[in-house]
Coordinates of all heavy atoms in Angstrom, one line a residue:
R201 N 0.8 -1.2 0.0 CA 0.0 0.0 0.0 C 0.9 1.3 0.0 O 0.5 2.3 -0.6 CB -0.9 0.0 1.2 CG -2.1 -1.0 1.0 CD -3.0 -1.1 2.2 NE -4.2 -1.9 1.9 CZ -4.9 -2.5 2.9 NH1 -4.6 -2.4 4.1 NH2 -5.9 -3.2 2.5
A202 N 2.0 1.2 0.7 CA 2.9 2.4 0.7 C 3.5 2.6 -0.7 O 3.8 3.8 -1.0 CB 4.0 2.1 1.7
R203 N 3.6 1.6 -1.5 CA 4.0 1.8 -2.9 C 2.9 2.2 -3.8 O 3.2 2.5 -5.0 CB 4.6 0.4 -3.4 CG 5.9 0.0 -2.8 CD 6.3 -1.4 -3.3 NE 7.7 -1.7 -3.0 CZ 8.2 -2.2 -1.8 NH1 7.3 -2.4 -0.9 NH2 9.4 -2.5 -1.7
G204 N 1.7 2.3 -3.3 CA 0.6 2.8 -4.1 C -0.3 1.7 -4.7 O -1.2 2.0 -5.5
H205 N 0.0 0.4 -4.3 CA -0.9 -0.6 -4.8 C -2.3 -0.6 -4.1 O -2.3 -0.4 -2.9 CB -0.3 -2.0 -4.5 CG 1.0 -2.3 -5.4 ND1 0.9 -2.4 -6.7 CD2 2.3 -2.4 -5.0 CE1 2.1 -2.7 -7.2 NE2 3.0 -2.6 -6.2
R206 N -3.3 -0.9 -4.8 CA -4.6 -1.1 -4.2 C -4.9 -2.6 -4.1 O -4.8 -3.3 -5.1 CB -5.7 -0.4 -5.1 CG -5.6 1.1 -5.1 CD -6.8 1.8 -5.8 NE -6.8 1.4 -7.2 CZ -7.8 1.6 -8.0 NH1 -8.9 2.2 -7.6 NH2 -7.7 1.3 -9.3
L207 N -5.2 -3.0 -2.9 CA -5.4 -4.4 -2.6 C -6.9 -4.8 -2.4 O -7.6 -4.0 -1.9 CB -4.6 -4.8 -1.4 CG -3.1 -5.1 -1.6 CD1 -2.3 -3.9 -2.0 CD2 -2.5 -5.7 -0.3
S208 N -7.2 -6.0 -2.9 CA -8.6 -6.5 -2.8 C -8.5 -8.0 -2.3 O -8.0 -8.8 -3.1 CB -9.3 -6.4 -4.1 OG -10.6 -6.9 -4.0
L209 N -9.0 -8.2 -1.1 CA -8.9 -9.6 -0.6 C -10.0 -10.4 -1.3 O -11.1 -10.1 -1.5 CB -9.2 -9.5 0.9 CG -9.4 -10.9 1.6 CD1 -8.0 -11.6 1.6 CD2 -9.8 -10.7 3.1
I210 N -9.6 -11.6 -1.7 CA -10.5 -12.6 -2.3 C -11.0 -13.5 -1.2 O -10.2 -14.2 -0.6 CB -9.7 -13.4 -3.4 CG1 -9.2 -12.5 -4.5 CG2 -10.7 -14.5 -4.0 CD1 -8.3 -13.2 -5.5
E211 N -12.3 -13.5 -1.0 CA -12.9 -14.2 0.1 C -13.1 -15.7 -0.3 O -13.1 -16.6 0.6 CB -14.3 -13.6 0.4 CG -14.2 -12.2 0.9 CD -13.6 -12.0 2.2 OE1 -13.4 -13.0 2.9 OE2 -13.4 -10.9 2.7
R212 N -13.2 -16.0 -1.6 CA -13.6 -17.4 -2.0 C -12.4 -18.0 -2.7 O -11.7 -17.4 -3.5 CB -14.8 -17.3 -3.0 CG -15.2 -18.7 -3.4 CD -16.4 -18.6 -4.4 NE -16.9 -19.9 -4.8 CZ -17.8 -20.0 -5.8 NH1 -18.4 -18.9 -6.3 NH2 -18.2 -21.2 -6.2
D213 N -12.1 -19.3 -2.4 CA -11.0 -20.0 -3.1 C -11.3 -20.0 -4.6 O -12.4 -20.0 -5.1 CB -11.0 -21.5 -2.6 CG -10.5 -21.6 -1.2 OD1 -9.9 -20.6 -0.7 OD2 -10.7 -22.7 -0.6
Y214 N -10.2 -20.0 -5.4 CA -10.3 -20.1 -6.8 C -9.2 -20.9 -7.4 O -8.1 -21.1 -6.8 CB -10.3 -18.7 -7.5 CG -8.9 -17.9 -7.4 CD1 -8.0 -18.0 -8.4 CD2 -8.6 -17.1 -6.3 CE1 -6.8 -17.3 -8.3 CE2 -7.4 -16.4 -6.2 CZ -6.5 -16.5 -7.2 OH -5.4 -15.8 -7.2
G215 N -9.4 -21.5 -8.5 CA -8.5 -22.4 -9.1 C -8.6 -23.8 -8.7 O -9.2 -24.1 -7.6
N216 N -8.0 -24.7 -9.5 CA -8.0 -26.2 -9.1 C -6.8 -26.8 -9.9 O -7.0 -27.6 -10.8 CB -9.3 -26.8 -9.5 CG -9.4 -28.3 -9.0 OD1 -8.7 -28.7 -8.1 ND2 -10.3 -29.0 -9.7
Q217 N -5.6 -26.4 -9.5 CA -4.4 -26.7 -10.3 C -4.0 -28.2 -10.1 O -4.1 -28.8 -9.0 CB -3.3 -25.8 -9.9 CG -2.0 -26.0 -10.7 CD -1.2 -24.8 -10.8 OE1 -0.3 -24.8 -11.7 NE2 -1.4 -23.8 -10.0
Q218 N -3.5 -28.8 -11.2 CA -3.0 -30.1 -11.2 C -1.6 -30.1 -11.7 O -1.3 -29.5 -12.8 CB -3.8 -31.1 -12.1 CG -5.3 -30.9 -11.9 CD -5.8 -31.2 -10.5 OE1 -5.4 -32.1 -9.8 NE2 -6.8 -30.4 -10.0
V219 N -0.6 -30.7 -11.0 CA 0.8 -30.7 -11.4 C 1.4 -32.1 -11.4 O 0.9 -33.0 -10.7 CB 1.6 -29.7 -10.5 CG1 1.1 -28.3 -10.5 CG2 1.6 -30.3 -9.1
L220 N 2.5 -32.2 -12.3 CA 3.2 -33.4 -12.4 C 4.7 -33.1 -12.3 O 5.1 -32.1 -12.7 CB 3.0 -34.2 -13.7 CG 1.6 -34.8 -13.9 CD1 1.5 -35.3 -15.4 CD2 1.4 -36.0 -13.0
F221 N 5.5 -34.1 -11.8 CA 6.9 -33.9 -11.8 C 7.6 -35.3 -12.1 O 7.2 -36.3 -11.5 CB 7.5 -33.4 -10.5 CG 9.0 -33.3 -10.4 CD1 9.6 -32.4 -11.2 CD2 9.7 -34.2 -9.6 CE1 11.0 -32.3 -11.2 CE2 11.1 -34.1 -9.6 CZ 11.7 -33.1 -10.4
W222 N 8.5 -35.3 -13.0 CA 9.2 -36.5 -13.4 C 10.7 -36.2 -13.2 O 11.3 -35.4 -13.9 CB 8.9 -36.9 -14.8 CG 9.7 -38.1 -15.4 CD1 10.2 -39.1 -14.7 CD2 10.0 -38.3 -16.7 NE1 10.8 -40.0 -15.5 CE2 10.8 -39.5 -16.8 CE3 9.8 -37.6 -17.9 CZ2 11.3 -40.0 -18.0 CZ3 10.3 -38.1 -19.1 CH2 11.0 -39.3 -19.2
D223 N 11.3 -36.9 -12.3 CA 12.8 -36.9 -12.1 C 13.4 -37.9 -13.1 O 13.3 -39.1 -12.8 CB 13.2 -37.2 -10.7 CG 14.7 -37.0 -10.4 OD1 15.5 -37.2 -11.3 OD2 15.0 -36.7 -9.3
K224 N 14.0 -37.4 -14.2 CA 14.5 -38.4 -15.2 C 15.6 -39.2 -14.7 O 15.9 -40.3 -15.2 CB 14.8 -37.6 -16.5 CG 13.7 -36.9 -17.1 CD 14.1 -36.1 -18.4 CE 13.0 -35.4 -19.1 NZ 13.4 -34.7 -20.3
R225 N 16.4 -38.7 -13.8 CA 17.6 -39.4 -13.3 C 17.2 -40.6 -12.4 O 17.8 -41.7 -12.6 CB 18.5 -38.4 -12.6 CG 19.2 -37.5 -13.5 CD 20.0 -36.4 -12.8 NE 19.1 -35.4 -12.1 CZ 19.5 -34.2 -11.7 NH1 20.7 -33.9 -11.9 NH2 18.7 -33.4 -11.1
S226 N 16.2 -40.4 -11.6 CA 15.8 -41.5 -10.7 C 14.6 -42.2 -11.2 O 14.4 -43.4 -10.8 CB 15.5 -40.9 -9.3 OG 14.3 -40.1 -9.4
G227 N 13.9 -41.6 -12.2 CA 12.7 -42.2 -12.7 C 11.5 -42.0 -11.8 O 10.4 -42.4 -12.2
A228 N 11.6 -41.3 -10.7 CA 10.5 -41.1 -9.8 C 9.5 -40.1 -10.4 O 9.9 -39.1 -11.1 CB 11.0 -40.5 -8.5
V229 N 8.2 -40.4 -10.2 CA 7.1 -39.5 -10.7 C 6.3 -39.1 -9.5 O 5.9 -39.9 -8.7 CB 6.3 -40.2 -11.8 CG1 5.1 -39.4 -12.1 CG2 7.1 -40.6 -13.0
Q230 N 6.0 -37.8 -9.4 CA 5.1 -37.3 -8.4 C 4.0 -36.4 -9.0 O 4.2 -35.9 -10.1 CB 5.9 -36.4 -7.4 CG 7.0 -37.2 -6.6 CD 7.9 -36.2 -5.8 OE1 8.8 -35.7 -6.3 NE2 7.5 -36.0 -4.6
A231 N 2.9 -36.4 -8.3 CA 1.8 -35.6 -8.8 C 1.1 -34.9 -7.6 O 1.2 -35.4 -6.4 CB 0.8 -36.4 -9.5
A232 N 0.5 -33.8 -7.8 CA -0.2 -33.1 -6.7 C -1.4 -32.4 -7.2 O -1.4 -31.9 -8.4 CB 0.7 -32.1 -6.0
S233 N -2.4 -32.3 -6.4 CA -3.7 -31.6 -6.8 C -3.9 -30.5 -5.8 O -3.6 -30.5 -4.6 CB -4.8 -32.7 -6.7 OG -6.0 -32.1 -7.1
D234 N -4.6 -29.5 -6.3 CA -4.8 -28.2 -5.6 C -5.7 -28.6 -4.3 O -6.8 -29.1 -4.4 CB -5.6 -27.3 -6.5 CG -5.6 -25.8 -6.0 OD1 -5.6 -25.6 -4.7 OD2 -5.5 -24.9 -6.8
P235 N -5.2 -28.2 -3.1 CA -6.0 -28.5 -1.9 C -7.3 -27.7 -1.9 O -8.2 -28.0 -1.1 CB -5.1 -28.1 -0.8 CG -4.1 -27.1 -1.4 CD -3.9 -27.6 -2.8
R236 N -7.4 -26.6 -2.7 CA -8.6 -25.8 -2.7 C -9.8 -26.5 -3.5 O -10.9 -26.1 -3.4 CB -8.4 -24.5 -3.4 CG -7.2 -23.7 -2.7 CD -6.9 -22.5 -3.7 NE -5.7 -21.7 -3.2 CZ -4.5 -22.1 -3.3 NH1 -4.2 -23.3 -3.9 NH2 -3.5 -21.3 -2.9
G237 N -9.4 -27.4 -4.4 CA -10.3 -27.9 -5.4 C -10.7 -29.4 -5.1 O -10.6 -29.9 -4.0
I238 N -11.2 -30.0 -6.1 CA -11.8 -31.4 -6.0 C -11.0 -32.4 -6.8 O -11.4 -33.5 -7.0 CB -13.2 -31.4 -6.4 CG1 -13.4 -31.0 -7.9 CG2 -14.1 -30.6 -5.5 CD1 -14.8 -31.3 -8.4
G239 N -9.8 -32.0 -7.3 CA -9.0 -32.9 -8.1 C -8.3 -34.0 -7.2 O -8.4 -34.0 -6.0
R240 N -7.7 -34.9 -7.9 CA -7.0 -36.0 -7.2 C -5.7 -36.4 -8.0 O -5.7 -36.4 -9.2 CB -7.9 -37.2 -7.1 CG -7.4 -38.4 -6.2 CD -8.4 -39.5 -6.2 NE -8.0 -40.6 -5.3 CZ -8.6 -41.7 -5.2 NH1 -9.7 -41.9 -5.9 NH2 -8.1 -42.7 -4.4
A241 N -4.7 -36.6 -7.2 CA -3.4 -37.0 -7.8 C -3.1 -38.5 -7.6 O -3.2 -38.9 -6.4 CB -2.3 -36.1 -7.2
L242 N -2.8 -39.2 -8.6 CA -2.5 -40.6 -8.5 C -1.3 -41.0 -9.3 O -1.1 -40.5 -10.4 CB -3.7 -41.4 -9.0 CG -5.0 -41.4 -8.2 CD1 -6.1 -42.1 -9.0 CD2 -4.8 -42.1 -6.9
T243 N -0.5 -41.9 -8.8 CA 0.5 -42.6 -9.6 C 0.2 -44.1 -9.6 O 0.0 -44.6 -8.5 CB 1.9 -42.3 -9.0 OG1 2.0 -42.7 -7.7 CG2 2.2 -40.8 -9.2
V244 N 0.3 -44.7 -10.7 CA -0.1 -46.1 -10.8 C 1.1 -46.9 -11.5 O 1.6 -46.4 -12.5 CB -1.3 -46.3 -11.7 CG1 -1.7 -47.8 -11.9 CG2 -2.5 -45.5 -11.2

């Protein structure tokens, strides 16, 4: 605010991000789902 930015608090969660990570050296695969949303991360 001291820099002149106007801020607006978001009351409701938004987004439902899904991510993957593959470590090519170890072969390990990881996945994660947004805790705000309804997605699910699975490795099979």
Side-chain angles (χ1 to χ4, degrees):
R201 286 178 173 158
R203 288 174 167 84
H205 291 293
R206 292 188 296 170
L207 276 65
S208 177
L209 176 65
I210 299 172
E211 300 287 352
R212 183 181 179 187
D213 289 343
Y214 68 94
N216 187 19
Q217 184 152 194
Q218 316 299 321
V219 300
L220 289 172
F221 177 69
W222 174 30
D223 186 328
K224 296 181 180 180
R225 289 172 289 198
S226 68
V229 175
Q230 296 173 274
S233 184
D234 198 325
R236 304 166 184 80
I238 60 172
R240 189 177 181 188
L242 291 173
T243 56
V244 180

